[in-house]
Amino acid sequence: MAVLAASRTANTQPRSPWSPSLAPTEDQLEPIFEDDFFSTYGEDDIEWLSDDRNNSTNEEEGLTVNIYAPFSSQMDWDIAKWAKLRGSSSTAFTDLLEIDGLSDRLGLSYKNSKELDKIIDNNLPGRPKFKGEQIIVAGEAFDVFYRDIIECIKALYSDPDFADFLVFAPEHHYADEDQTVRLFHDMHTGQWWWDMQRALDQRRPGATIIPIIISSDKTQVTMFRNKSAYPVYLTIGNIPKEIRRKPSHRAHILLAYLPTTRLEHIANKASRRRTISNLYHACMSRILAPLKTAGTDGLVMSSGDGVERHCHPLFVCFAGDYPEQLLATGVKAMECPKCDIPTEELGSNTAPFEICDLHAVLDALSRIDDGDLVFVQACREAGIKPIIHPYWEDLPHANIFQAVTPDGITSLSRLSSTEHSQICRFLLGIIIDTRLPGNLASSRLLKAVRGLLDFLYLAQYPCHSSETLLLLDEARALFHDNKEIFIDLGIRTNFNLPKLHSGRHYLTMIRTFGTTDNYNTEYTERLHIDLAKDAYRATNHKDEFIQMPKWLERKEKITRHEQFIKWCLDGDRAPHHPHPPDLRFDRTQQLTKHPSAKAVPIQKLITDYGATYFRQALARYIAQQQNPNEVITCQRPENLAAGIHLPFHAVPVYHKIKWLSTDARGHGDPLVTVDSIHARPHRNARRENDVVPARFDTALINDGTGSFVGVKGFRVGQIRLVFSIPASATQFLFPPTNQPQKHLAYVEWFTPFPATPDPRHGMYKISWLIKSGERVVSIIPVSNITRSIHLMPRFGAVAPRHWTVNNVLEECDTFFVNCYIDRHSFVTLR
């Protein structure tokens, strides 16, 4: 057990992986450690001189360890954190602190926003600072704000939050012991990392690759003033994608703000486009220039655990939408930015193509000193625009045509990825019974839409195998085999769409760089909010690009200090044991500790909850539990139930079942609600004379034999009631060896899943299970409920106008089980 040794000061702060560069001021010295103390001793090995970890004091030594420093107390820190992460404007915060006596009573070390900013700027470590520079293009100067890319890479690579999860070498993963079914998920399982590792090892064995993933996308930061920002983001492939894709983990760094000028003063449109392209590449060249030497020669870098390695940061992937891809590659509009397929063949699923020849392109670019006409002609023959020194021209081991990742093939103007997803969920179910003009068969339409949707959902898998990649290929083929229906309907005249063609590159990209969530453009949508739009709103809208980087730097410092304090309070995490992601519905079921209604009379269960046969169903359940080893015939449960008397007249009722995410991969993710089922009657709303309708959701129920793939062992039911049997009655009704679960559910059943789904649209058709004119009901343990399930009503040729979301389950008798409501439904029901 090591003992913490610190200098005797009034206000000291323990050094941690979170504050390696924190410099002490004259009145605030750091503890003094022998050599590299924390690389020898873990935080749990330290014997703190007091049990009060928030502000520990040792009376004999007179030592105070303040984990909130440079803030004087937890209150001082909490208000500062609120002001920078959740608070209002700087002016409003200053006005608040100017209330007479407020700052003194709270014991704050700052009296206005400027003083707080000064504390943050001078005393908290953060990520690399921005610097402004002017880029001269066509005789005109443009401002670009960017960070040192090497320092940004080091900031991510050395971040102690990622130390347990970083990947340093390529790996082959397999689904079977015979190693015949290969798995692809994170970037280190793709072929690119293997090929590059061999290439580097030939020059210098033992090199560590740091894959650089760059993404850029211009975005609007105002609704009406037409203001935009042009952020460039950076992340590294050593960090697992499950961490990178969550903004809360801060695994992306805002690398730069590019100029947003439209150059409207240039009248000639061709000249304007050419100047914008050259400006973009000039800025990116300046930002990425340090990668040339670092990627070739390598540099020694220390990861968050203190281990030093000889690292080669290599540009590997560029994530952007189609216009960004054209800008980066120099390819002309309506052409593929990756391959040489002719524009008139973009709609083909069989036309041959080759990835653009990088060497031919570089040869053409090298003709720039041979005169304008020669240069333009050489670029035209190579299939690109005449760009003056594109940023990827001299980057080591970079191939921009391989690096460009496919953009989503369903992108629509003015729609977010969330809105796209919502459209995909319901599209197929809506058109099942649609009558087509000219008596055209709807089967081709359904198969085409089904093929496209299947492709989209398969492409989103977090882990692919050589087998699921074949399914991806089959789904794309299903669309192409039936796509002519859109021409017959007059919707399209051809399918020469670059985004549609990009689907042919998905298999190669997954095998090369891992699954698509390694380089998904959807992540930048969320980053735009935090790093562009919020940053703009925090400015006074004058010279905003000077203010935005400073606002971001302070926010990053506060977030970093928050992580440091959490480290001090929580200690080290449990050891991380990496494993490939899977498609299981890994969730934790949860109900409230106390019931929503403590004692609901049985008669009210019948009238308000619709549990018409509650007494009979519960009696049958009790009879089955009392005779667990007896073979129950069809009539036997009724005979046994007839002799059972319920010794209670009311039961506690729960109105909601929810499922929480699990931190299955040990990334420290917070638990969030990912699914829920409601079973509650109508109730009065807060508004007078307003009523909230009843809600009884449908669920996928496991009979005990179901697995995570396929419908065998599953049934669909409507949850009418979630309840518990009063504790006083369980001992009377059930044998001691077969006590019931605490939470039970009253379920109205649908028919079992048919042997196969409909061959046209691939959905299972079910209807209410009726016996003697009444719906079949049961009591089941709540633990048998796997998740919620979405049913699409069979609308017919014309949807009845009186159907609503509140009555459709009662009015309709035939439904399709929606397998597109989310990825887990797709895996289970497909």
Side-chain angles (χ1 to χ4, degrees):
M1 178 70 70
V3 179
L4 178 66
S7 59
R8 187 174 309 190
T9 65
N11 189 21
T12 61
Q13 180 176 13
R15 184 190 299 274
S16 84
W18 289 104
S19 55
S21 60
L22 187 63
T25 59
E26 292 182 358
D27 60 344
Q28 179 189 317
L29 298 177
E30 292 184 345
I32 300 172
F33 300 101
E34 297 284 333
D35 298 321
D36 192 1
F37 183 85
F38 273 85
S39 66
T40 305
Y41 299 102
E43 194 265 346
D44 287 337
D45 296 324
I46 300 170
E47 182 180 338
W48 294 82
L49 300 179
S50 170
D51 289 335
D52 183 1
R53 295 280 294 278
N54 286 7
N55 196 8
S56 58
T57 303
N58 182 272
E59 295 180 0
E60 181 179 350
E61 298 292 333
L63 173 67
T64 297
V65 178
N66 176 20
I67 65 174
Y68 301 103
F71 300 98
S72 59
S73 65
Q74 181 177 355
M75 175 72 74
D76 196 24
W77 155 247
D78 284 342
I79 292 177
K81 181 178 69 171
W82 172 84
K84 291 303 175 185
L85 300 184
R86 297 285 186 270
S88 54
S89 66
S90 297
T91 302
F93 183 61
T94 296
D95 291 343
L96 175 66
L97 296 185
E98 286 179 349
I99 296 175
D100 188 31
L102 178 65
S103 180
D104 293 334
R105 290 191 180 188
L106 295 177
L108 303 183
S109 57
Y110 42 86
K111 297 185 181 299
N112 52 54
S113 184
K114 287 186 177 180
E115 290 186 9
L116 174 58
D117 290 342
K118 186 176 180 180
I119 293 174
I120 295 171
D121 293 342
N122 296 336
N123 296 283
L124 289 182
R127 286 178 166 175
K129 291 186 176 182
F130 281 86
K131 53 186 176 182
E133 195 168 321
Q134 286 194 331
I135 303 293
I136 308 297
V137 174
E140 190 173 353
F142 302 91
D143 292 324
V144 57
F145 298 87
Y146 67 99
R147 289 163 152 163
D148 186 315
I149 188 170
I150 299 299
E151 294 303 315
C152 289
I153 294 168
K154 288 181 178 179
L156 290 174
Y157 185 79
S158 64
D159 193 323
D161 225 14
F162 307 141
D164 293 339
F165 310 107
L166 290 182
V167 177
F168 304 103
E171 297 177 2
H172 281 151
H173 290 183
Y174 296 90
D176 58 333
E177 294 182 358
D178 296 333
Q179 298 187 358
T180 58
V181 181
R182 186 173 170 184
L183 297 177
F184 303 92
H185 48 94
D186 278 288
M187 188 165 282
H188 69 290
T189 63
Q191 192 58 40
W192 175 86
W193 204 321
W194 279 99
D195 295 341
M196 199 55 56
Q197 191 71 55
R198 294 189 187 99
L200 291 179
D201 284 347
Q202 289 177 359
R203 294 187 55 198
R204 184 184 183 124
T208 297
I209 294 174
I210 301 183
I212 306 303
I213 304 171
I214 299 292
S215 57
S216 65
D217 184 20
K218 187 180 291 188
T219 181
Q220 292 290 122
V221 294
T222 61
M223 290 289 291
F224 305 109
R225 297 178 61 193
N226 206 26
K227 283 277 188 177
S228 60
Y230 203 159
V232 179
Y233 305 107
L234 173 144
T235 188
I236 59 176
N238 310 83
I239 302 173
K241 58 189 176 69
E242 289 295 318
I243 294 177
R244 280 188 277 119
R245 71 183 182 88
K246 297 173 182 176
S248 60
H249 286 293
R250 303 180 306 115
H252 283 79
I253 285 184
L254 177 64
L255 182 60
Y257 287 121
L258 300 182
T260 58
T261 177
R262 298 184 178 183
L263 300 178
E264 294 179 347
H265 64 281
I266 301 178
N268 185 280
K269 292 184 178 180
S271 297
R272 185 191 309 162
R273 288 194 297 266
R274 186 162 54 251
T275 304
I276 288 176
S277 178
N278 287 328
L279 173 62
Y280 169 83
H281 283 277
C283 293
M284 291 294 291
S285 295
R286 183 69 55 87
I287 296 166
L288 303 184
L291 292 180
K292 298 176 184 178
T293 301
T296 302
D297 301 333
L299 69 163
V300 176
M301 293 174 56
S302 176
S303 53
D305 54 7
V307 178
E308 292 185 343
R309 296 176 176 84
H310 194 84
C311 299
H312 292 256
L314 302 176
F315 172 67
V316 55
C317 281
F318 174 82
D321 58 17
Y322 182 66
E324 289 290 319
Q325 294 173 7
L326 297 181
L327 192 59
T329 58
V331 172
K332 298 177 183 178
M334 291 306 295
E335 293 183 357
C336 177
K338 292 184 67 67
C339 70
D340 61 359
I341 192 168
T343 300
E344 61 273 12
E345 296 289 348
L346 286 172
S348 171
N349 194 38
T350 57
F353 62 82
E354 296 289 341
I355 295 296
C356 292
D357 188 343
L358 178 65
H359 297 293
V361 170
L362 293 177
D363 289 342
L365 294 172
S366 67
R367 305 293 299 275
I368 189 171
D369 295 328
D370 296 343
D372 292 345
L373 293 178
V374 174
F375 176 62
V376 170
Q377 180 62 29
C379 289
R380 182 182 297 112
E381 293 175 357
I384 65 167
K385 299 175 183 177
I387 304 171
I388 300 175
H389 298 303
Y391 69 83
W392 38 265
E393 183 179 28
D394 297 325
L395 294 181
H397 305 286
N399 184 340
I400 188 62
F401 304 108
Q402 183 186 53
V404 168
T405 58
D407 186 21
I409 64 177
T410 60
S411 297
L412 300 174
S413 177
R414 302 296 182 185
L415 288 183
S416 67
S417 59
T418 301
E419 292 165 329
H420 287 254
S421 176
Q422 291 171 346
I423 292 173
C424 292
R425 291 174 184 177
F426 311 113
L427 180 60
L428 186 58
I430 292 173
I431 65 173
I432 284 179
D433 289 321
T434 299
R435 291 179 181 175
L436 301 183
N439 293 322
L440 291 172
S442 64
S443 59
R444 284 192 299 156
L445 176 64
L446 296 177
K447 288 179 180 179
V449 174
R450 172 190 170 187
L452 193 59
L453 291 175
D454 284 359
F455 181 87
L456 294 175
Y457 278 72
L458 286 164
Q460 296 174 37
Y461 275 15
C463 183
H464 267 288
S465 69
S466 46
E467 295 175 343
T468 58
L469 289 178
L470 293 178
L471 296 178
L472 190 67
D473 223 9
E474 292 173 1
R476 191 182 72 250
L478 181 63
F479 167 77
H480 281 282
D481 290 344
N482 295 275
K483 66 187 178 185
E484 294 298 321
I485 184 63
F486 296 106
I487 293 179
D488 295 343
L489 290 170
I491 297 173
R492 292 209 55 87
T493 58
N494 63 70
F495 294 92
N496 297 327
L497 305 172
K499 287 190 178 183
L500 186 62
H501 163 75
S502 70
R504 297 185 65 184
H505 293 296
Y506 271 66
L507 269 71
T508 301
M509 292 297 296
I510 292 171
R511 291 191 178 104
T512 305
F513 298 123
T515 48
T516 58
D517 50 357
N518 278 289
Y519 36 79
N520 198 324
T521 56
E522 292 180 6
Y523 303 155
T524 59
E525 289 186 10
R526 177 57 189 153
L527 294 175
H528 284 339
I529 297 174
D530 293 337
L531 306 181
K533 298 180 181 180
D534 286 351
Y536 176 80
R537 296 188 188 106
T539 70
N540 61 8
H541 305 163
K542 297 177 182 178
D543 296 325
E544 60 271 11
F545 288 107
I546 297 176
Q547 302 173 55
M548 289 165 65
K550 180 59 70 175
W551 176 89
L552 178 61
E553 289 172 3
R554 288 170 179 153
K555 181 177 179 180
E556 289 175 340
K557 288 184 175 184
I558 289 290
T559 304
R560 183 186 179 96
H561 195 54
E562 182 181 28
Q563 292 295 103
F564 163 69
I565 293 172
K566 186 176 185 298
W567 172 84
C568 289
L569 297 176
D570 296 347
D572 292 336
R573 286 188 297 249
H576 172 62
H577 303 288
H579 57 84
D582 56 34
L583 301 175
R584 297 177 185 274
F585 189 68
D586 193 9
R587 302 291 186 264
T588 300
Q589 189 184 82
Q590 187 180 86
L591 283 86
T592 56
K593 182 178 181 180
H594 302 289
S596 306
K598 292 183 178 180
V600 180
I602 292 179
Q603 186 56 39
K604 194 172 183 180
L605 300 180
I606 296 173
T607 56
D608 291 3
Y609 290 80
T612 309
Y613 301 102
F614 176 79
R615 289 189 178 91
Q616 298 89 324
L618 183 56
R620 286 198 301 271
Y621 175 77
I622 294 171
Q624 292 169 346
Q625 297 301 307
Q626 290 177 346
N627 303 273
N629 299 321
E630 183 176 342
V631 178
I632 305 295
T633 61
C634 293
Q635 192 60 35
R636 180 65 170 161
E638 304 295 336
N639 297 335
L640 293 173
I644 292 177
H645 171 70
L646 302 181
F648 51 84
H649 301 285
V651 295
V653 170
Y654 301 81
H655 288 168
K656 185 178 181 180
I657 309 169
K658 63 181 181 180
W659 283 264
L660 303 179
S661 61
T662 59
D663 187 18
R665 309 198 70 191
H667 294 155
D669 298 326
L671 301 183
V672 296
T673 301
V674 293
D675 191 16
S676 61
I677 286 177
H678 297 258
R680 56 167 174 75
H682 65 82
R683 66 177 189 271
N684 293 328
R686 293 181 180 179
R687 295 181 181 178
E688 189 175 355
N689 300 324
D690 200 1
V691 176
V692 177
R695 178 176 173 181
F696 302 101
D697 292 341
T698 50
L700 189 67
I701 300 169
N702 193 337
D703 66 7
T705 63
S707 65
F708 76 97
V709 175
V711 298
K712 184 179 180 181
F714 288 100
R715 293 276 299 276
V716 176
Q718 185 181 23
I719 309 301
R720 278 286 179 178
L721 177 67
V722 178
F723 69 100
S724 292
I725 297 175
S728 58
T730 55
Q731 298 179 357
F732 172 76
L733 293 172
F734 299 92
T737 56
N738 197 24
Q739 290 288 299
Q741 294 187 16
K742 179 180 179 181
H743 302 108
L744 303 173
Y746 177 95
V747 179
E748 294 183 343
W749 292 105
F750 289 86
T751 54
F753 285 102
T756 58
D758 189 292
R760 300 174 304 153
H761 50 72
M763 291 187 181
Y764 289 95
K765 183 170 70 174
I766 60 175
S767 57
W768 286 108
L769 183 59
I770 305 296
K771 184 178 180 180
S772 301
E774 299 291 341
R775 295 178 184 175
V776 176
V777 302
S778 296
I779 301 292
I780 64 168
V782 165
S783 60
N784 286 15
I785 302 175
T786 301
R787 54 157 299 150
S788 67
I789 199 75
H790 183 255
L791 302 182
M792 293 287 293
R794 184 170 186 176
F795 292 105
V798 179
R801 290 183 176 272
H802 67 280
W803 286 5
T804 68
V805 67
N806 298 317
N807 67 15
V808 68
L809 283 174
E810 304 302 322
E811 297 292 338
C812 181
D813 56 8
T814 302
F815 302 86
F816 298 102
V817 183
N818 189 356
C819 58
Y820 297 108
I821 200 65
D822 56 37
R823 190 180 70 211
H824 298 100
S825 294
F826 182 81
V827 172
T828 301
L829 301 172
R830 263 285 180 254

